Amino acid sequence: TLQAIVGGQYYFSHSMFPQISGEPQYVDSPQSFLSWTGRDEEMKRLGEFPIRSYVIAASGGGGGMMQLARFMAVPVGSGAFAVVHTPEYQIKIFDVAAGSVVRAFTRKYERVEPPPLTPEQKKPSMIIDNKPIVVPRPKYSSDISNIIARGDKLWVVTSTKDPKKGTLIDVYDAAGKYIDAFYLNIPAA
């Protein structure tokens, strides 16, 4: 998945299906952060970020997977990315030149339960080894639903929604210092 284009450099994420056997289980599935110039023959692996996932194995080697969070990376500052890859409220600053996370920040956050399942969502979503599978509903929504770089500021779109005010957005500087928060009426993702 394309994450960003910065100065002719393309940045992608790529998830791999974890190899498990037996009963469905929660595992950390590998998520690679990659770069490519368009001239290189191969992508360069910059780092690895695990994504907690519910994985179902099939006897033939396939299966199904539901990620509890999604990988997000946005350029922030010079040569760095703000990265989100967990369902909990946490932002990591990944330095491309260093090839590592140079800092991480979080805040106390009241987790939000996901909406109730619709009758359609309660039905089996896949069939593996001739068994209908209903993926369990997560206990909480991902705390961060999006992250946006605005100049030298980072907007963190949270899962907190108010029917009148909209979605709660936290604002940080590039170093991870909390600045402010506001509500914005934005369409549901």
Side-chain angles (χ1 to χ4, degrees):
T1 304
L2 180 65
Q3 296 291 321
I5 302 171
V6 181
Q9 190 85 11
Y10 298 83
Y11 294 90
F12 295 91
S13 61
H14 175 70
S15 63
M16 293 169 273
F17 193 87
Q19 298 302 311
I20 69 158
S21 60
E23 292 298 311
Q25 57 189 287
Y26 288 96
V27 299
D28 289 331
S29 64
Q31 182 82 34
S32 296
F33 188 38
L34 311 161
S35 70
W36 182 60
T37 63
R39 297 178 304 278
D40 302 331
E41 288 186 27
E42 291 188 25
M43 291 189 184
K44 179 181 176 187
R45 188 169 116 4
L46 301 174
E48 191 105 353
F49 296 88
I51 305 278
R52 195 79 179 147
S53 303
Y54 183 74
V55 180
I56 304 152
S59 58
M65 178 172 70
M66 179 193 77
Q67 294 182 327
L68 299 183
R70 67 184 180 104
F71 180 85
M72 295 174 267
V74 296
V76 58
S78 177
F81 282 82
V83 172
V84 173
H85 68 99
T86 66
E88 296 81 24
Y89 196 111
Q90 183 181 60
I91 298 106
K92 295 179 178 177
I93 304 300
F94 180 83
D95 184 290
V96 174
S100 64
V101 172
V102 293
R103 73 183 155 280
F105 56 96
T106 187
R107 76 166 178 83
K108 194 171 188 170
Y109 184 78
E110 189 173 328
R111 307 221 52 207
V112 175
E113 285 188 32
L117 295 176
T118 65
E120 191 65 30
Q121 291 170 323
K122 290 179 183 178
K123 294 179 183 175
S125 57
M126 59 185 98
I127 296 176
I128 297 178
D129 291 338
N130 293 321
K131 292 185 339 192
I133 304 291
V134 176
V135 176
R137 176 181 177 252
K139 186 174 180 180
Y140 298 108
S141 297
S142 286
D143 296 343
I144 298 173
S145 61
N146 205 353
I147 190 162
I148 303 163
R150 297 266 309 151
D152 62 345
K153 306 290 186 287
L154 207 52
W155 288 13
V156 177
V157 182
T158 72
S159 59
T160 300
K161 296 183 185 350
D162 180 282
K164 293 180 182 170
K165 298 189 279 187
T167 301
L168 178 65
I169 313 240
D170 292 333
V171 182
Y172 295 86
D173 67 14
K177 180 183 172 200
Y178 178 82
I179 297 172
D180 200 1
F182 63 92
Y183 282 88
L184 184 64
N185 276 312
I186 53 177

